[in-house]
Structures are given as structure tokens and as C-alpha cells.
Amino acid sequence: MTDVASRLHTLAERVLGAPLPVRVRAWDGSEAGPPGAPVLRVRHRRALRRLLWRPGELGLARAWVAGELDTGPGEDLYPLLDRLAGLLWEREEPGEGAPQRGALAALSRLRDPDVRDAVRRLAALGGALPPPPPPPEERRRSFGIRHSVLRDRKAISHHYDVGNDFYRLVLGPSMVYSCAYWEPPASGSATLDDAQRDKLALVCRKLALREGQRLLDVGCGWGSLVLHAAREHGVRAVGITLSHEQATYARKRVAEEGLTDRVEIRVQDYREVHDGPFDAISSIGMAEHVGRERYRQYADDLYGLLRPGGRLLNHQIGRRPLTDESAYSVDEFIDAYVFPDGELAPVGQTVSVLEEAGFEVRDLESLREHYALTLRAWVANLEADFDRAARLASYGRARVWQLYMAASALAFEHNRIGVNQILAVRTPGDGASGLPLRTREWRAV
């Protein structure tokens, strides 16, 4: 009798209509596929049921989170994801003559009797009835108005309220959950904490923070930026977050550093801040949660909270633009497991909305490669102490973060997504922006 791996590999290629670029190791210990290729380990037949009932990235994610799919023992996850990306995540823009790929292509091929036969045989291998329930880490259906204050609070809680100790293990002592700012490789081996400190310093230089100024940090996380700004630049800072766990941790750090007279941490939505003006506003890795239907309101609110001449530093992940922007949809895995209701916009759209709100956009810096390096450092932290991470959150949650961060690192490396720092000014009527003629001088430490 043919071993399971050979049957899986052959049937998968018939369904996909293309060579399967990975080696398969099945639950019976058999292997098949290109010699030397990354190994996809199918540890349980339930993985087939998940993929057949929900083809594409969500079915694969469910099987990965449940531990039914894995890499080969001791193998690196990145080569495997890189091979699978063309089947699952690399979406070609719809249009006349554009080829379909991955799960969509497989569904369209079901009209072919040979493909239907292969699906039936895969179903027999997996025992296709009933479909397994999703892992408990999957977010259930959301109710309420999308990007309302209440629904945003629930979405933020899903992502951030999974344990401060878990995040400290992944992020390291800096507790900064956004792209770090790395030195060139030739200059030495900077640590993740060094790179995060340099990112905080870069943000403060771009905002030209001075003693006595008021800073608003929208989406302050665990308080690292407001602490740095108060300690190093003498500002009075307000940090807002919708995560109670983040706020508790940040307040503890503020008290330990003796900065309670200069730093305030609030559990508050940006739409609820009414005590401006502020001299500067930072929004680091938060605008992805705002949503396109609310982004103009977001820009208007921040503009209204700044004094004339004040600066905004918006640090935000962006995606590649589509010819038909109405075709954009959030990745199923990201929406179900990572960032509920999160949305990415092309950087050009973000710049346009900021300008429409009245800002003068003065500088844009891409940090795409920096985020890939940051994510790889986070994955290394997680994998170095995976058992403890699983105890702190859950086995499935640790698997979610491993898959999410590794796939995101590859997406940044391959220019499928990017991250940009946009410096904008509420320029007063006389046109005096207050910026130096050579703005890039803030790069110097």
C-alpha cells in the first residue's frame, strides 16, 4: 500500500494544478516530495479536514495553531512559509486575464472531474465529516458597529490583553511593540533593546521635544515612549490605550521611575481626548486599528488636539495599493487570530487624508527592512523559550504569534507590506513650519 505522504503529495498537486514546493511528512512517518525542500509535517489527519472545509490561509492557520501542522524537527519556519506563500498569501490582483492562484484556483478547478476525484480521496484520508471546531484562540464573530468605541475596545483587548509576562518574553525588556530602528550591519551587532531605544530617540528628535512641552502618545502600549520622552526630554506626557493590562503595566513603570508628576496613563479612546492643545502627538503602530471609514475623523481629531506649529509623528504599516481599492479585504488569519477589525492602507492614502485634515506633511521615511529585522528578533525570543510562552498565554496563542510574526517578517522582506514614519505639522497661517531646512539631520544621534 502506498504510504500516506506520497498519496498526500500526489493528491495535493492534482488539486492545485501545480507542483507542491515542499516535502510532506505524514502522521505515519512517511515522507514525499522534492529532496532537500522544507518539510511540512502533517501530524494529524484533522489538518486535512480543516484545509478541505476551509481552503486557504484560514484552514492552514487553524491546523497550525492546533499543532496539527508543523515544520520538520529542528527546521526553520521561514523557508517553509516562503515556499507556501505563493499558494496561500501572494494574491494577484483580480482583473481580466489575471491568473488565479492557491485556494481560489483550487476551488475554480473543482469543475474538473480529476480534481473532484482528488478532493474525494483527500477527504477519505482526513475523515472529512464533521469539520473540526476552530481552536479556542480564534476570535468569534464580532457584533456592533465596526470601529465604534465599544467594538474597538473588544478588538484591542483580544490582541493585547493576553498577559504582560508573555509580551515581555517576546518583546524583551524594552516592551516596545513596533518597528525598531537598526544600525547598518557593518557598524556592529546592535541588540533589539538598543534598536528600540534608538527608535524612541528618533521619534523624539523628529518631534523636536523640549522641556515643559505636552506630548500625547496615542496607543501608548506599555508606556515606553512616554517614559523615554519624560526622562530624556523633560516633557509632560499623556499616554492613552484601550488595554487595561497595558495601562496597569505602564503605570507601574511610571511610578517605579518616579515620573508620576510628568506622565499620565489613561484607558481612553482617541475620540475621548478633549484636553488639548498638545505641543506634539505620536501615534506609533496604532493607526492600523482605526479603519478606513474612521481615518478622516482620526486625522481631524489629532489636528484639533495640536497647537498651531505642533508636530505629529505617525508610524504606520502600509500595504501595496490596488487598482481597484474596493477589492481590498483583510486577511482571514489576521482578522480571526491577531488584529480583529485591523486594516492597512497604502501610504499615499494616509498622506492624502492627513493633508485633507489640514496637516502639512513634511517628511516620510520607510522603515520596511527595519521591521523585518525586528520581527525576526521577536520570533527568536519566542522560540528560545516557547514552552514558557505557551504556559504564560496558551499553546495555541504562542503558535499564533509564531506564525503571524514569521509570515509578517517575510512580507516585509518581499515588499508585500511596508512601514512608514510620516512627520506632519499643523502649520500656522503665516506658514512658519518650525522645521529646519535640512530635516534629515535628526538622524544624527
Side-chain angles (χ1 to χ4, degrees), residues 52 72 98 135 140 153 156 178 215 243 279 291 316 365:
L52 289 169
R140 300 303 182 254
R153 287 184 190 277
I156 293 298
S178 56
L215 167 69
S243 167
D279 299 286
Q316 182 176 346
E365 182 176 9

Side-chain angles (χ1 to χ4, degrees), residues 2 27 42 60 81 92 111 114 163 208 241 276 287 290 313 328 346 350 367 377 396 405:
T2 307
W27 56 85
V42 186
L60 182 142
L81 288 179
E92 299 209 12
R111 291 170 293 188
D114 183 61
T241 175
V290 171
L313 195 284
Y328 169 69
T350 301
L367 302 180
M405 293 190 300

Side-chain angles (χ1 to χ4, degrees), residues 53-340:
W53 280 94
R54 196 61 182 261
E57 64 184 74
L58 187 58
L60 182 142
R62 286 172 172 172
W64 178 269
V65 172
E68 297 154 5
L69 291 178
D70 207 344
T71 59
E75 290 195 4
D76 194 348
L77 176 57
Y78 295 102
L80 176 65
L81 288 179
D82 218 7
R83 293 288 184 95
L84 292 174
L87 299 175
L88 295 166
W89 290 295
E90 288 185 359
R91 299 176 175 178
E92 299 209 12
E93 183 150 358
E96 186 176 354
Q100 291 181 307
R101 304 175 70 178
L104 289 176
L107 288 173
S108 69
R109 286 169 48 80
L110 284 175
R111 291 170 293 188
D112 186 329
D114 183 61
V115 173
R116 290 199 301 272
D117 177 69
V119 170
R120 283 193 294 269
R121 292 174 184 272
L122 285 171
L125 274 176
L129 292 173
E137 290 77 15
E138 182 169 320
R139 176 185 66 105
R140 300 303 182 254
R141 181 182 174 188
S142 293
F143 294 94
I145 300 172
R146 187 177 177 88
H147 294 299
S148 63
V149 174
L150 179 60
R151 181 158 161 173
D152 278 354
R153 287 184 190 277
K154 292 179 180 178
I156 293 298
S157 178
H158 174 90
H159 185 77
Y160 293 103
D161 292 339
V162 298
N164 292 327
D165 290 340
F166 171 80
Y167 273 106
R168 183 175 174 83
L169 184 153
V170 174
L171 305 178
S174 69
M175 288 298 280
V176 180
Y177 190 27
S178 56
C179 171
Y181 193 63
W182 298 85
E183 292 289 342
S187 66
S189 54
T191 67
L192 173 62
D193 286 341
D194 290 337
Q196 291 292 15
R197 181 201 60 226
D198 289 348
K199 191 275 297 297
L200 299 178
L202 176 68
V203 169
C204 292
R205 287 197 301 274
K206 288 184 175 183
L207 290 172
L209 297 181
R210 301 187 304 277
E211 187 167 355
Q213 288 186 326
R214 292 189 79 207
L215 167 69
L216 173 65
D217 187 23
V218 183
C220 67
W222 293 271
S224 298
L225 178 59
V226 289
L227 285 167
H228 180 94
R231 184 178 58 246
E232 303 297 329
H233 299 274
V235 304
R236 291 174 292 120
V238 174
I240 63 172
T241 175
L242 294 180
S243 167
H244 287 273
E245 289 196 23
Q246 284 185 335
T248 298
Y249 190 96
R251 287 166 181 158
K252 184 174 183 289
R253 296 176 74 188
V254 170
E256 289 174 347
E257 293 203 27
L259 292 171
T260 54
D261 60 330
R262 282 189 276 168
V263 178
E264 179 186 3
I265 304 296
R266 305 173 184 170
V267 178
Q268 191 174 39
D269 188 270
Y270 69 91
R271 289 160 284 195
E272 300 169 333
V273 180
H274 304 297
D275 58 333
F278 293 89
D279 299 286
I281 297 177
S282 52
S283 177
I284 314 298
M286 181 272 173
E288 298 89 338
H289 296 287
V290 171
R292 51 186 161 184
E293 66 265 36
R294 298 285 185 183
Y295 204 89
R296 176 58 192 273
Q297 177 187 354
Y298 171 75
D300 287 341
D301 286 354
L302 298 192
Y303 185 84
L305 288 168
L306 267 179
R307 66 163 177 82
R311 299 185 189 183
L312 166 69
L313 195 284
N314 187 77
H315 175 119
Q316 182 176 346
I317 297 172
R319 60 175 170 83
R320 305 295 296 173
L322 301 173
T323 302
D324 177 11
E325 279 294 320
S326 67
Y328 169 69
S329 62
V330 180
D331 287 348
E332 290 182 303
F333 165 58
I334 299 294
D335 191 51
Y337 285 94
V338 187
F339 286 108

Side-chain angles (χ1 to χ4, degrees), residues 318-321 366 368-369 408-419:
R319 60 175 170 83
R320 305 295 296 173
S366 172
R368 177 172 64 81
E369 293 87 351
S408 296
L410 292 171
F412 281 106
E413 289 170 359
H414 294 314
N415 193 28
R416 293 196 288 272
I417 54 177
V419 63

